[in-house]
mmCIF file of all heavy atoms in Angstrom:
data_model
loop_
_atom_site.group_PDB
_atom_site.id
_atom_site.type_symbol
_atom_site.label_atom_id
_atom_site.label_comp_id
_atom_site.label_asym_id
_atom_site.label_seq_id
_atom_site.Cartn_x
_atom_site.Cartn_y
_atom_site.Cartn_z
ATOM 1 N N CYS J 27 41.749 4.616 56.769
ATOM 2 C CA CYS J 27 42.008 5.431 57.956
ATOM 3 C C CYS J 27 40.709 6.122 58.385
ATOM 4 O O CYS J 27 39.819 6.359 57.553
ATOM 5 C CB CYS J 27 43.071 6.491 57.659
ATOM 6 S SG CYS J 27 44.697 5.834 57.233
ATOM 7 N N ARG J 64 58.708 10.416 51.027
ATOM 8 C CA ARG J 64 57.438 9.696 50.886
ATOM 9 C C ARG J 64 57.023 9.049 52.198
ATOM 10 O O ARG J 64 57.851 8.572 52.963
ATOM 11 C CB ARG J 64 57.553 8.632 49.793
ATOM 12 C CG ARG J 64 57.664 9.174 48.393
ATOM 13 C CD ARG J 64 56.307 9.644 47.861
ATOM 14 N NE ARG J 64 55.447 8.498 47.538
ATOM 15 C CZ ARG J 64 54.329 8.188 48.181
ATOM 16 N NH1 ARG J 64 53.896 8.918 49.190
ATOM 17 N NH2 ARG J 64 53.615 7.143 47.820
ATOM 18 N N TYR J 65 55.719 9.006 52.406
ATOM 19 C CA TYR J 65 55.182 8.395 53.621
ATOM 20 C C TYR J 65 53.787 7.845 53.348
ATOM 21 O O TYR J 65 52.999 8.449 52.613
ATOM 22 C CB TYR J 65 55.100 9.427 54.749
ATOM 23 C CG TYR J 65 54.434 8.905 56.010
ATOM 24 C CD1 TYR J 65 55.159 8.192 56.958
ATOM 25 C CD2 TYR J 65 53.074 9.116 56.231
ATOM 26 C CE1 TYR J 65 54.548 7.703 58.112
ATOM 27 C CE2 TYR J 65 52.453 8.626 57.387
ATOM 28 C CZ TYR J 65 53.197 7.922 58.318
ATOM 29 O OH TYR J 65 52.585 7.437 59.451
ATOM 30 N N LYS J 66 53.500 6.687 53.953
ATOM 31 C CA LYS J 66 52.155 6.128 53.996
ATOM 32 C C LYS J 66 51.870 5.701 55.430
ATOM 33 O O LYS J 66 52.768 5.198 56.108
ATOM 34 C CB LYS J 66 52.032 4.898 53.087
ATOM 35 C CG LYS J 66 52.024 5.168 51.605
ATOM 36 C CD LYS J 66 51.780 3.861 50.862
ATOM 37 C CE LYS J 66 51.729 4.069 49.354
ATOM 38 N NZ LYS J 66 51.446 2.803 48.635
ATOM 39 N N PRO J 67 50.651 5.865 55.905
ATOM 40 C CA PRO J 67 50.320 5.345 57.236
ATOM 41 C C PRO J 67 50.568 3.839 57.277
ATOM 42 O O PRO J 67 50.176 3.133 56.343
ATOM 43 C CB PRO J 67 48.835 5.665 57.399
ATOM 44 C CG PRO J 67 48.551 6.740 56.399
ATOM 45 C CD PRO J 67 49.484 6.516 55.262
ATOM 46 N N CYS J 70 46.788 1.800 58.162
ATOM 47 C CA CYS J 70 45.508 2.034 57.490
ATOM 48 C C CYS J 70 45.766 2.649 56.123
ATOM 49 O O CYS J 70 46.884 3.077 55.819
ATOM 50 C CB CYS J 70 44.595 2.937 58.323
ATOM 51 S SG CYS J 70 45.260 4.592 58.654
ATOM 52 N N ILE J 71 44.730 2.690 55.300
ATOM 53 C CA ILE J 71 44.842 3.258 53.955
ATOM 54 C C ILE J 71 44.310 4.684 53.971
ATOM 55 O O ILE J 71 43.143 4.919 54.313
ATOM 56 C CB ILE J 71 44.049 2.405 52.945
ATOM 57 C CG1 ILE J 71 44.601 0.974 52.916
ATOM 58 C CG2 ILE J 71 44.123 3.030 51.547
ATOM 59 C CD1 ILE J 71 43.757 0.013 52.099
ATOM 60 N N SER J 72 45.156 5.623 53.607
ATOM 61 C CA SER J 72 44.804 7.032 53.683
ATOM 62 C C SER J 72 43.700 7.404 52.699
ATOM 63 O O SER J 72 43.591 6.815 51.614
ATOM 64 C CB SER J 72 46.040 7.896 53.417
ATOM 65 O OG SER J 72 45.711 9.274 53.456
ATOM 66 N N HIS J 73 42.908 8.402 53.072
ATOM 67 C CA HIS J 73 41.902 8.959 52.159
ATOM 68 C C HIS J 73 42.526 9.922 51.155
ATOM 69 O O HIS J 73 41.886 10.292 50.173
ATOM 70 C CB HIS J 73 40.827 9.715 52.952
ATOM 71 C CG HIS J 73 40.012 8.845 53.849
ATOM 72 N ND1 HIS J 73 38.945 8.087 53.393
ATOM 73 C CD2 HIS J 73 40.098 8.587 55.178
ATOM 74 C CE1 HIS J 73 38.409 7.415 54.395
ATOM 75 N NE2 HIS J 73 39.091 7.694 55.493
ATOM 76 N N HIS J 74 43.771 10.338 51.411
ATOM 77 C CA HIS J 74 44.394 11.385 50.598
ATOM 78 C C HIS J 74 45.744 10.916 50.060
ATOM 79 O O HIS J 74 46.629 10.548 50.836
ATOM 80 C CB HIS J 74 44.620 12.648 51.434
ATOM 81 C CG HIS J 74 43.395 13.177 52.109
ATOM 82 N ND1 HIS J 74 42.528 14.052 51.497
ATOM 83 C CD2 HIS J 74 42.881 12.953 53.344
ATOM 84 C CE1 HIS J 74 41.543 14.349 52.325
ATOM 85 N NE2 HIS J 74 41.735 13.695 53.451
ATOM 86 N N LYS J 75 45.900 10.927 48.733
ATOM 87 C CA LYS J 75 47.196 10.694 48.098
ATOM 88 C C LYS J 75 47.693 12.062 47.638
ATOM 89 O O LYS J 75 47.255 12.580 46.606
ATOM 90 C CB LYS J 75 47.069 9.732 46.924
ATOM 91 C CG LYS J 75 46.651 8.327 47.323
ATOM 92 C CD LYS J 75 46.544 7.432 46.098
ATOM 93 C CE LYS J 75 46.145 6.018 46.492
ATOM 94 N NZ LYS J 75 46.019 5.134 45.303
ATOM 95 N N VAL J 76 48.602 12.637 48.404
ATOM 96 C CA VAL J 76 48.904 14.067 48.286
ATOM 97 C C VAL J 76 50.348 14.323 47.850
ATOM 98 O O VAL J 76 51.293 13.803 48.466
ATOM 99 C CB VAL J 76 48.675 14.788 49.630
ATOM 100 C CG1 VAL J 76 48.804 16.292 49.446
ATOM 101 C CG2 VAL J 76 47.317 14.426 50.209
ATOM 102 N N ALA J 77 50.510 15.112 46.815
ATOM 103 C CA ALA J 77 51.814 15.654 46.449
ATOM 104 C C ALA J 77 51.899 17.072 47.002
ATOM 105 O O ALA J 77 51.064 17.921 46.665
ATOM 106 C CB ALA J 77 51.993 15.667 44.931
ATOM 107 N N LEU J 100 51.991 16.165 58.812
ATOM 108 C CA LEU J 100 51.420 15.380 57.720
ATOM 109 C C LEU J 100 51.248 13.913 58.115
ATOM 110 O O LEU J 100 50.285 13.255 57.706
ATOM 111 C CB LEU J 100 52.315 15.495 56.481
ATOM 112 C CG LEU J 100 52.485 16.913 55.921
ATOM 113 C CD1 LEU J 100 53.556 16.929 54.832
ATOM 114 C CD2 LEU J 100 51.177 17.480 55.398
ATOM 115 N N GLN J 103 48.299 13.509 60.373
ATOM 116 C CA GLN J 103 47.084 13.606 59.573
ATOM 117 C C GLN J 103 46.807 12.334 58.772
ATOM 118 O O GLN J 103 45.803 12.245 58.078
ATOM 119 C CB GLN J 103 47.172 14.809 58.630
ATOM 120 C CG GLN J 103 47.158 16.146 59.361
ATOM 121 C CD GLN J 103 47.237 17.345 58.423
ATOM 122 O OE1 GLN J 103 47.387 17.201 57.205
ATOM 123 N NE2 GLN J 103 47.119 18.537 58.983
ATOM 124 N N GLN J 104 47.688 11.365 58.864
ATOM 125 C CA GLN J 104 47.551 10.066 58.192
ATOM 126 C C GLN J 104 47.409 10.214 56.674
ATOM 127 O O GLN J 104 46.554 9.599 56.038
ATOM 128 C CB GLN J 104 46.365 9.282 58.768
ATOM 129 C CG GLN J 104 46.550 8.891 60.226
ATOM 130 C CD GLN J 104 45.425 8.023 60.763
ATOM 131 O OE1 GLN J 104 44.244 8.361 60.612
ATOM 132 N NE2 GLN J 104 45.771 6.918 61.404
ATOM 133 N N LEU J 105 48.290 11.022 56.104
ATOM 134 C CA LEU J 105 48.291 11.230 54.664
ATOM 135 C C LEU J 105 49.255 10.268 53.983
ATOM 136 O O LEU J 105 50.297 9.906 54.532
ATOM 137 C CB LEU J 105 48.708 12.670 54.335
ATOM 138 C CG LEU J 105 47.891 13.796 54.971
ATOM 139 C CD1 LEU J 105 48.455 15.141 54.554
ATOM 140 C CD2 LEU J 105 46.421 13.692 54.588
ATOM 141 N N ASP J 106 48.916 9.883 52.783
ATOM 142 C CA ASP J 106 49.824 9.183 51.878
ATOM 143 C C ASP J 106 50.429 10.284 51.017
ATOM 144 O O ASP J 106 49.774 10.784 50.097
ATOM 145 C CB ASP J 106 49.012 8.178 51.053
ATOM 146 C CG ASP J 106 49.831 7.460 49.992
ATOM 147 O OD1 ASP J 106 51.020 7.785 49.819
ATOM 148 O OD2 ASP J 106 49.265 6.574 49.324
ATOM 149 N N TYR J 107 51.654 10.688 51.315
ATOM 150 C CA TYR J 107 52.155 11.928 50.708
ATOM 151 C C TYR J 107 53.603 11.839 50.252
ATOM 152 O O TYR J 107 54.368 10.950 50.662
ATOM 153 C CB TYR J 107 51.998 13.100 51.687
ATOM 154 C CG TYR J 107 52.985 13.101 52.844
ATOM 155 C CD1 TYR J 107 54.222 13.745 52.727
ATOM 156 C CD2 TYR J 107 52.678 12.488 54.059
ATOM 157 C CE1 TYR J 107 55.123 13.756 53.792
ATOM 158 C CE2 TYR J 107 53.562 12.502 55.119
ATOM 159 C CZ TYR J 107 54.791 13.132 54.976
ATOM 160 O OH TYR J 107 55.691 13.145 56.022
ATOM 161 N N GLY J 108 53.974 12.800 49.405
ATOM 162 C CA GLY J 108 55.350 13.015 48.994
ATOM 163 C C GLY J 108 55.620 14.504 48.928
ATOM 164 O O GLY J 108 54.723 15.289 48.604
ATOM 165 N N TYR J 137 53.825 8.709 40.936
ATOM 166 C CA TYR J 137 52.796 8.068 41.771
ATOM 167 C C TYR J 137 51.430 8.591 41.337
ATOM 168 O O TYR J 137 51.322 9.675 40.755
ATOM 169 C CB TYR J 137 53.061 8.417 43.240
ATOM 170 C CG TYR J 137 52.237 7.662 44.250
ATOM 171 C CD1 TYR J 137 52.286 6.275 44.331
ATOM 172 C CD2 TYR J 137 51.414 8.341 45.154
ATOM 173 C CE1 TYR J 137 51.536 5.584 45.278
ATOM 174 C CE2 TYR J 137 50.672 7.658 46.110
ATOM 175 C CZ TYR J 137 50.732 6.276 46.160
ATOM 176 O OH TYR J 137 49.998 5.592 47.095
ATOM 177 N N ASN J 138 50.404 7.819 41.610
ATOM 178 C CA ASN J 138 49.052 8.213 41.199
ATOM 179 C C ASN J 138 48.418 9.151 42.236
ATOM 180 O O ASN J 138 47.385 8.832 42.840
ATOM 181 C CB ASN J 138 48.177 6.976 40.974
ATOM 182 C CG ASN J 138 48.034 6.095 42.209
ATOM 183 O OD1 ASN J 138 48.923 6.063 43.059
ATOM 184 N ND2 ASN J 138 46.926 5.384 42.318
ATOM 185 N N TYR J 139 49.062 10.296 42.439
ATOM 186 C CA TYR J 139 48.518 11.294 43.360
ATOM 187 C C TYR J 139 47.155 11.770 42.863
ATOM 188 O O TYR J 139 46.947 11.973 41.667
ATOM 189 C CB TYR J 139 49.461 12.490 43.469
ATOM 190 C CG TYR J 139 50.774 12.184 44.135
ATOM 191 C CD1 TYR J 139 51.958 12.127 43.391
ATOM 192 C CD2 TYR J 139 50.860 11.953 45.502
ATOM 193 C CE1 TYR J 139 53.175 11.854 43.989
ATOM 194 C CE2 TYR J 139 52.071 11.686 46.118
ATOM 195 C CZ TYR J 139 53.230 11.632 45.353
ATOM 196 O OH TYR J 139 54.431 11.351 45.956
ATOM 197 N N THR J 140 46.252 11.976 43.807
ATOM 198 C CA THR J 140 44.923 12.488 43.470
ATOM 199 C C THR J 140 44.712 13.897 44.019
ATOM 200 O O THR J 140 43.688 14.523 43.752
ATOM 201 C CB THR J 140 43.836 11.566 44.043
ATOM 202 O OG1 THR J 140 44.014 11.447 45.465
ATOM 203 C CG2 THR J 140 43.920 10.184 43.414
ATOM 204 N N CYS J 141 45.665 14.385 44.787
ATOM 205 C CA CYS J 141 45.536 15.673 45.466
ATOM 206 C C CYS J 141 46.869 16.398 45.431
ATOM 207 O O CYS J 141 47.933 15.777 45.560
ATOM 208 C CB CYS J 141 45.097 15.429 46.916
ATOM 209 S SG CYS J 141 45.012 16.918 47.937
ATOM 210 N N TYR J 158 46.036 18.886 55.167
ATOM 211 C CA TYR J 158 46.685 19.113 53.875
ATOM 212 C C TYR J 158 46.185 18.070 52.870
ATOM 213 O O TYR J 158 46.938 17.260 52.333
ATOM 214 C CB TYR J 158 48.198 19.037 54.026
ATOM 215 C CG TYR J 158 48.847 20.325 54.459
ATOM 216 C CD1 TYR J 158 48.420 21.011 55.604
ATOM 217 C CD2 TYR J 158 49.904 20.877 53.749
ATOM 218 C CE1 TYR J 158 49.012 22.196 56.000
ATOM 219 C CE2 TYR J 158 50.519 22.065 54.140
ATOM 220 C CZ TYR J 158 50.067 22.712 55.260
ATOM 221 O OH TYR J 158 50.663 23.900 55.650
#
Side-chain angles (χ1 to χ4, degrees):
C27 297
R64 290 283 287 113
Y65 175 84
K66 288 185 179 182
C70 61
I71 300 172
S72 179
H73 295 279
H74 305 273
K75 295 180 179 179
V76 188
L100 299 171
Q103 293 180 355
Q104 295 184 310
L105 304 179
D106 175 356
Y107 74 89
Y137 190 59
N138 59 332
Y139 293 108
T140 57
C141 176
Y158 275 53

